[in-house]
Amino acid sequence: MTSWPEEFADRYEEWSAHMTEDIAFYVELGREADGPVVELAVGNGRVAVPLALATGRAVIGIDISPAMLGQARENATAAGAELDLRKGDMRDFELDEPAALVYCPFRALLHLPTWADRRRTFERVAASLRPGGRFAWNAYAFDHARAAELDGRKASEPVPHSLRYAVADNRIDITLADGATSSLWWATKNEWLGLVDVSGLELEALYGGFDRRPLDDESREYVFVVRRPT
């Protein structure tokens, strides 16, 4: 499963440039990891490169998109960071050594369309972590007012695009001005917690933002940290 479809790759740098607030959060988790660190849907290395630089260790980056992996390789080389980039699907990835941290930033798990896809991913993560190892990710909390405001409208930032909400399928379709498309499938807090439960992981923290603020009724982002039981 890709971080973004191939046709999005040439606009990804622009699309993701505004997202910077998550980097320090994932870097701090990387600093605390006492073993291999893995990013699922590594994309262009937006998080993996600064994490590798901050820790002085290689980050394993997995993505199914050759174009995204190419961008990550170029960005890592330019920054002098060490990334171990691997083409693969997050639903069936395997590691040579159990990881201390697996993370999946920028809502990339929402590209998985079904519960079965997400369950497979969570089970692979659980099997790939060492005892006590962490899995972290973030995803938006569905905002019906925001959806009503944006549905069907064209926007110019960060690149020209339009959004369509298919509420019955929990899906958002993103269409760029050149016709390239991608989709996200949102999930509720309890759906995420169900995935944690069925995969045998346990919740460490659920925040309402990357500054580790508590989740409350006004939160619009889920930031999860779970761990494999010791």
Side-chain angles (χ1 to χ4, degrees), residues 15-31:
W15 183 269
S16 64
H18 71 285
M19 176 54 77
T20 58
E21 62 179 337
D22 60 339
I23 295 174
F25 177 82
Y26 289 113
V27 166
E28 183 60 27
L29 292 180
R31 291 184 189 275

Side-chain angles (χ1 to χ4, degrees), residues 162-222:
S162 62
L163 301 178
R164 177 182 177 273
Y165 284 76
V167 177
D169 194 35
N170 288 16
R171 191 182 79 245
I172 302 175
D173 295 326
I174 306 167
T175 303
L176 300 187
D178 63 6
T181 62
S182 183
S183 295
L184 304 170
W185 286 261
W186 69 81
T188 66
K189 178 186 73 174
N190 285 330
E191 287 177 298
W192 291 118
L193 291 174
L195 288 162
V196 173
D197 183 57
V198 299
S199 59
L201 298 168
E202 60 185 21
L203 182 67
E204 176 180 322
L206 171 52
Y207 303 112
F210 295 110
D211 57 1
R212 301 178 187 255
R213 72 186 68 176
L215 184 77
D216 60 27
D217 289 347
E218 302 305 313
S219 299
R220 292 297 180 265
E221 193 78 19
Y222 302 124

